[in-house]
Amino acid sequence: MDQANLPEPLRARMAEIEARPSLQKVRDLLQSYVMGADGMPAIRAEFSEAAQITTRFLRQDLEALEFVLTADLPEGTLLRLVEDDANRGLDHDPTDAGAAVFLREVADTLRSVVETAR
């Protein structure tokens, strides 16, 4: 996508989206694609539909998700991402470790979709 040919308001909005901190990118990703999806196949379908238009922001979101999974974050951060932003209960393991398992599955699914769309 050649940004030089886009109207200034659109270029500004794209720059704003790209400048979000990693944690906010992950929150937005979970709220946009994961929160309303019923299971990983539905999440994959959401990602695939978005990838048909562009993978630019999905690649950035994947990078942010991978960063968040390796970052030294305050205790409970990953659990809140999953329970609040993805609207997923983790009854089997309501810890950051349990949340990391789910987030890794989301990251693996997103990575697969982005690689397939290239």
Side-chain angles (χ1 to χ4, degrees), residues 78-111:
L78 297 181
L79 181 61
R80 282 190 302 279
L81 282 171
V82 172
E83 289 189 334
D84 297 345
D85 298 299
N87 196 32
R88 294 288 194 269
L90 294 174
D91 296 334
H92 65 286
D93 187 3
T95 65
D96 279 339
V101 169
F102 176 78
L103 292 172
R104 279 190 202 96
E105 188 175 3
V106 170
D108 290 344
T109 301
L110 180 54
R111 184 178 306 101

Side-chain angles (χ1 to χ4, degrees), residues 2 10 21 27 33-34 38-39 64 69 74 83 85 89:
D2 184 10
L10 187 53
R27 282 188 176 113
Y33 299 102
V34 178
D38 187 22
L69 282 166
E83 289 189 334
D85 298 299

Side-chain angles (χ1 to χ4, degrees), residues 15-110:
E16 180 183 314
I17 290 170
E18 291 172 352
R20 297 169 298 158
S22 293
L23 196 55
Q24 187 59 50
K25 287 179 182 179
V26 172
R27 282 188 176 113
D28 293 345
L29 173 80
L30 295 173
Q31 290 172 8
S32 297
Y33 299 102
V34 178
M35 181 183 272
D38 187 22
M40 206 53 65
I43 293 169
R44 176 180 294 280
E46 291 284 335
F47 290 153
S48 295
E49 186 175 327
Q52 290 176 6
I53 300 167
T54 181
T55 60
R56 177 188 184 126
F57 297 114
L58 292 176
R59 282 183 276 118
Q60 292 174 14
D61 292 343
L62 175 59
E63 184 178 301
L65 184 52
E66 290 172 338
F67 171 79
V68 165
L69 282 166
T70 60
D72 186 22
L73 300 170
E75 187 174 335
T77 300
L78 297 181
L79 181 61
R80 282 190 302 279
L81 282 171
V82 172
E83 289 189 334
D84 297 345
D85 298 299
N87 196 32
R88 294 288 194 269
L90 294 174
D91 296 334
H92 65 286
D93 187 3
T95 65
D96 279 339
V101 169
F102 176 78
L103 292 172
R104 279 190 202 96
E105 188 175 3
V106 170
D108 290 344
T109 301
L110 180 54

